[in-house]
Amino acid sequence: MKRNLLLCLSVLVCLALSGCVTSGTYKQKELEAQNLDKSLQEQRGQYNILMGENDQLKNEIKRLTTELAAMTGERNALTADKKGLEETLKSTSDAKNQKIGELSQRVGELTAKTGELTQKTADLEAENKRLKDEVARLQKQKEEVQKTSKTYGDLLEQMKGEISKGQVTISELKGKLTVNMVDSVLFDSGKAEVKPEGLVVLQKVVDILKTVKDKAVRIEGHTDNVQIVGQLAKRYPTNWELSAARAINVTRYLQQQGLDPTILGAVAYGEFKPVASNDTEEGRAKNRRIEIVLVAKD
């Protein structure tokens, strides 16, 4: 635009110098020149405004460019941070998954171990109960042995005369007490009734047995292997009958002397449980016997 105005002014100057322009024409041209000059001034004002706006736009562009660069840098930084975070998260996730796997395996091992320990605990509790029961049983057995030992001592003291003569033996084994009386102390030969001298001996046993409350009393009849013959065989056909009759008669006497019949029992063994050889008179004498045995109650 500025170039056009300068061109017009140049044309007017040339016309004036050439004399080709008339006075009226000159005035007209002068007016036109003034108008052109005014227009030029206006155009210059607009130009200046546009230049100012152009500068503002350049500054805005520069600002925006700077802001864009900053935002681009921030975006790149954020992108890098994002990538770093993703890698960190992936690494952390992998580590956590590995840790979870290890913990799951450990939990499985501990669960199995807990099962084993639970079983062992149950086994130990069962064993502990068994041991307690065994201790209680042994304690009871000990008490019974102590009581039996006292009874044993009392019988030894009470019957030391008969023992010294070999007529009575008393033995104790694991709480089982046995009073062994040879038949000649209690019976006449071939008879089952207790003779008066035998009753005296039995009475000594009765005095001791009355103090025993926790045992059963079993009276056992035994014979040698000599067969019964003659008139006696009519009453006792075999040694079974003779040993049974003698055991029953002793048992009846113990009951008559006040022993509880519910703890008494008579058993016949005949010749079938010898304690010595039947080949000698001495051995046969030992086999002919009455045994009073203290045993545990059923």
Side-chain angles (χ1 to χ4, degrees):
M1 183 181 291
K2 183 177 180 180
R3 184 179 178 184
N4 291 334
L5 290 175
L6 291 173
L7 182 61
C8 290
L9 289 173
S10 299
V11 172
L12 290 176
V13 170
C14 292
L15 289 175
L17 293 176
S18 62
C20 296
V21 181
T22 60
S23 176
T25 302
Y26 178 79
K27 290 182 178 180
Q28 183 178 357
K29 295 299 182 179
E30 185 179 4
L31 181 59
E32 290 177 357
Q34 291 177 353
N35 291 332
L36 288 172
D37 185 59
K38 183 178 180 181
S39 176
L40 179 61
Q41 294 297 326
E42 291 177 354
Q43 291 294 329
R44 285 179 177 174
Q46 291 179 0
Y47 174 77
N48 291 332
I49 291 171
L50 290 173
M51 289 301 292
E53 292 179 351
N54 184 55
D55 292 338
Q56 291 179 357
L57 288 173
K58 286 181 178 179
N59 291 333
E60 182 68 14
I61 290 171
K62 184 178 180 181
R63 185 186 67 78
L64 291 174
T65 300
T66 302
E67 186 174 344
L68 175 62
M71 294 182 69
T72 300
E74 185 177 353
R75 183 198 65 183
N76 292 337
L78 290 173
T79 300
D81 289 344
K82 177 185 177 185
K83 184 177 180 182
L85 286 173
E86 288 176 346
E87 292 176 353
T88 301
L89 288 173
K90 184 177 183 302
S91 176
T92 302
S93 177
D94 293 342
K96 286 183 177 179
N97 289 336
Q98 182 179 356
K99 190 67 175 178
I100 289 171
E102 293 174 355
L103 290 175
S104 297
Q105 181 179 355
R106 183 59 178 162
V107 167
E109 293 173 353
L110 290 175
T111 300
K113 191 67 174 178
T114 300
E116 294 176 3
L117 291 175
T118 300
Q119 183 60 46
K120 286 183 179 179
T121 299
D123 293 342
L124 288 174
E125 288 177 349
E127 179 65 13
N128 186 47
K129 182 179 182 303
R130 187 191 69 78
L131 290 174
K132 285 183 178 179
D133 293 342
E134 181 67 12
V135 168
R137 186 188 68 80
L138 290 175
Q139 182 62 31
K140 183 178 180 182
Q141 188 179 70
K142 177 183 176 182
E143 293 173 356
E144 291 176 353
V145 168
Q146 290 174 341
K147 292 178 181 178
T148 302
S149 296
K150 183 179 184 306
T151 304
Y152 174 73
D154 293 343
L155 284 169
L156 287 177
E157 179 64 25
Q158 188 79 350
M159 307 187 74
K160 57 186 178 181
E162 289 78 10
I163 294 173
S164 65
K165 295 175 183 178
Q167 298 172 334
V168 174
T169 58
I170 302 175
S171 62
E172 178 191 7
L173 180 62
K174 296 182 179 180
K176 178 182 176 182
L177 190 150
T178 302
V179 180
N180 185 339
M181 301 180 181
V182 295
D183 69 335
S184 61
V185 175
L186 302 177
F187 311 101
D188 289 328
S189 178
K191 294 185 178 181
E193 293 75 16
V194 182
K195 61 185 179 180
E197 296 87 344
L199 296 178
V200 174
V201 175
L202 284 179
Q203 187 59 50
K204 293 180 180 182
V205 177
V206 169
D207 293 338
I208 301 300
L209 295 182
K210 283 183 177 179
T211 65
V212 178
K213 304 297 182 183
D214 58 346
K215 297 285 185 180
V217 180
R218 187 173 68 220
I219 294 84
E220 301 177 353
H222 300 269
T223 68
D224 57 24
N225 66 346
V226 177
Q227 301 302 308
I228 299 175
V229 294
Q231 293 296 319
L232 187 60
K234 295 180 180 179
R235 186 173 184 182
Y236 307 113
T238 67
N239 285 320
W240 283 112
E241 286 78 11
L242 179 60
S243 64
R246 287 179 170 180
I248 290 172
N249 286 337
V250 173
T251 303
R252 183 183 298 117
Y253 176 77
L254 296 181
Q255 178 183 356
Q256 291 171 352
Q257 298 307 305
L259 266 67
D260 183 359
T262 63
I263 67 170
L264 297 176
V267 182
Y269 288 107
E271 62 197 72
F272 300 105
K273 282 197 174 183
V275 293
S277 172
N278 281 304
D279 294 336
T280 65
E281 178 54 38
E282 182 182 359
R284 289 191 293 271
K286 289 181 179 180
N287 290 333
R288 297 189 300 270
R289 69 197 187 277
I290 287 290
E291 290 186 353
I292 299 176
V293 185
L294 274 65
V295 295
K297 288 183 177 180
D298 293 334

